[in-house]
Amino acid sequence: MSIPPEGVPAGDDDADPTGMRDVLSSLPEPGPMPEELADRICASLEREQGMRDQAAWGATAPVHDLSRGRVHRRPQQWILAAAAVVAVGIIGTVVFDDVLGSGSSGDSPAAAVSSPESEDSNAAQEESADDGASEGGEAEASAAGDGADSVAETGVQSIDDQAFAVGAQSVLEVASGQSAQDESGTALRLFMDLGDVKALDEDELESCITAAGMGPTERAWVGAPTAMNGEEVVILGSMGSDEPHEAWALDRTCRQDSDAGVLKGPVSLP
Amino acid sequence: MSSHDLEGRSDSDLMALHRSGDEQAFGEIFRRHKDRMWAVALRTTRDPDVASDAVQDGFVNAFRRAESFRGDAQVSTWLYRIVVNACLDRMRRSKPTADIADHEPVEPRDHHRSVEIRLDVRAALAELPETQRLALVLVDMHGLSIAETAAVLEVAEGTVKSRCSRGRAALAEVLGPG
């Protein structure tokens, strides 16, 4: 059998003395894409669309709420720095808790960071992460290196407003279904487990809104319990398109007690 | 823009709409090409599970990389390239777990002999070097032109012709009488 060497044109496109072209073209089609797969891909594309919309919103978001004197910046400009600040606090808390044995609940980010399950999850996320992951990794490494200096600071009140805003926004996005647990900020997801974030139910939300000192409004409220910097809190926020994007951290008891304390906020979201 | 309005649009128009922010345009592209991309993924990977992941990767990548579509090729060619690359990536990361024959559509009137031949062809195809197999899948099984296949595989047209010729010859030798 004579086989032309690689790279040498075989001549006429249609020339096929072997007849194999006809054999191959007569093989039946594999059939349509399975419905389950099509649905899965549609869901992925919808998530992509959601993230694109969000990115577009971030790029065109007006500066608002100037009376509070807070500065709004594009997340891309400071998200890594802010995330690193939160990481310092969280990792510092892990060290603090480990050393003093104060412990934190199993669903806190601090606990999740140190759990094997979370490590598996993070590894899986890193495997599929885009180029941004390496930047996040640098933030993580930097935070890990500096964490021991921050053991004295715990609690949500010790978190810088910008870092709090980044963390709160991620929690609220996951709680509201705007992003999946593995689609939140690249840097943030490396050290903050959002897998357990679940939105408050209506009664809990109403109680926490009251606790935040806000009355019934047209705002689109979202709330979810989480832990920040070792402190168990409820993150409450408003993220509708025509309203101030703000977040509060409240004592977790706000879900049942509308007199629960406001620990932080309101803080403008990025 | 409603999905009904999109049905009459060309693929290139849909890509332009998608790039300009239309939320429905890429869904229409997906609807139009999903079966062909599934077929090429299945034929490339020969594993339904790997093909599923690869075709999903491919469409998500295409969604994200819409800006890289310059319009100098057909959208389908561009999609083939992305999906084939996704398949190659996936294949390098996993081993086959199932045979493509598991996914063959049921054909009640099929004859035993023709099924045997198909399985032989597929088995022989699976034995070919990846480069030749990809060329045959695209040219002979999906009907792409030599130029389109060259664009998908990012090689010269002459290389595609050569790979097809060598692949067919090898198949003929395996499947020939005796």
Side-chain angles (χ1 to χ4, degrees), chain B residues 18-31:
Chain B
H18 171 63
R19 286 199 300 268
S20 67
D22 188 285
E23 295 185 0
Q24 307 291 328
F26 197 85
E28 176 64 14
I29 289 175
F30 171 69
R31 192 188 64 76

Side-chain angles (χ1 to χ4, degrees), chain A residues 29-245:
Chain A
E29 291 287 322
M33 178 182 282
E35 221 168 278
E36 182 185 311
L37 174 61
D39 291 344
R40 195 174 96 191
I41 295 176
C42 281
S44 293
L45 295 177
E46 282 171 14
R47 281 199 298 274
E48 289 292 322
Q49 184 65 49
M51 287 193 287
R52 191 166 82 150
D53 292 344
Q54 199 177 340
W57 171 81
T60 58
V63 173
H64 58 264
D65 200 15
L66 293 177
S67 62
R68 297 184 194 279
R70 294 188 175 91
V71 180
H72 298 254
R73 296 189 182 92
R74 295 272 297 280
Q76 294 90 336
Q77 296 171 336
W78 53 270
I79 185 168
L80 291 178
V85 172
V86 178
V88 167
I90 291 172
I91 294 168
T93 303
V94 174
V95 174
F96 185 77
D97 287 349
D98 285 348
V99 170
L100 299 183
S102 59
S104 59
S105 73
D107 62 347
S108 74
V113 164
S114 59
S115 72
E117 292 82 356
S118 176
E119 286 170 14
D120 289 344
S121 169
N122 285 344
Q125 289 166 358
E126 286 178 66
E127 186 184 350
S128 62
D130 56 20
D131 293 341
S134 59
E135 298 172 56
E138 288 166 15
E140 181 186 40
S142 170
D146 297 341
D149 296 334
S150 305
V151 293
E153 288 193 353
T154 59
V156 71
Q157 288 174 323
S158 65
I159 301 175
D160 170 78
D161 278 5
Q162 291 178 350
F164 171 79
V166 172
Q169 173 140 330
S170 295
V171 170
L172 295 171
E173 284 173 358
V174 173
S176 63
Q178 289 182 31
S179 71
Q181 176 263 335
D182 61 349
E183 294 167 349
S184 298
T186 301
L188 193 65
R189 72 181 183 221
L190 293 174
F191 59 81
M192 189 171 180
D193 184 6
L194 300 174
D196 291 334
V197 169
K198 288 182 177 57
L200 299 178
D201 65 33
E202 276 186 31
D203 291 340
E204 292 174 332
L205 190 59
E206 189 177 343
S207 175
C208 290
I209 292 169
T210 305
M214 305 298 290
T217 69
E218 296 300 315
R219 289 192 185 192
W221 292 101
V222 183
T226 185
M228 274 193 168
N229 219 7
E231 186 170 12
E232 297 192 351
V233 298
V234 163
I235 300 297
L236 176 72
S238 59
M239 301 176 69
S241 56
D242 296 311
E243 62 197 33
H245 292 75

Side-chain angles (χ1 to χ4, degrees), chain A residues 1-13 15-16 18 20-21 23-34 37-42 44-45 47-49 51-53 127-128 130, chain B residues 18 21-23 26 30 34-35 38-39 42-43 52-53 55-56 59-60 63-64 93 103-105 107 118 121-122 125 136 139-141 146 158-159 161-163 165-166 168-169 171-173 175:
Chain A
M1 181 175 63
S2 171
I3 300 174
E6 181 89 358
V8 176
D12 183 2
D13 287 5
D16 175 26
T18 67
M20 283 299 113
R21 183 172 197 170
V23 171
L24 290 171
S25 63
S26 68
L27 290 175
E29 291 287 322
M33 178 182 282
L37 174 61
D39 291 344
R40 195 174 96 191
I41 295 176
C42 281
S44 293
L45 295 177
R47 281 199 298 274
E48 289 292 322
Q49 184 65 49
M51 287 193 287
R52 191 166 82 150
D53 292 344
E127 186 184 350
S128 62
D130 56 20
Chain B
H18 171 63
D22 188 285
E23 295 185 0
F26 197 85
F30 171 69
K34 64 183 172 68
D35 291 342
W38 165 244
L42 205 48
R43 285 166 166 166
S52 297
D53 290 338
V55 78
Q56 178 169 356
F59 274 110
V60 170
F63 183 101
R64 291 174 179 169
R93 282 192 274 166
H103 239 76
E104 190 172 14
E107 295 176 60
R118 284 174 193 166
V121 172
R122 288 195 173 107
L125 198 56
L136 292 181
V139 175
D140 290 352
M141 299 174 82
I146 295 292
T159 303
K161 290 179 184 176
S162 169
R163 288 177 182 175
S165 176
R166 289 158 59 88
R168 288 172 192 144
L171 279 181
E173 192 166 82
L175 297 171

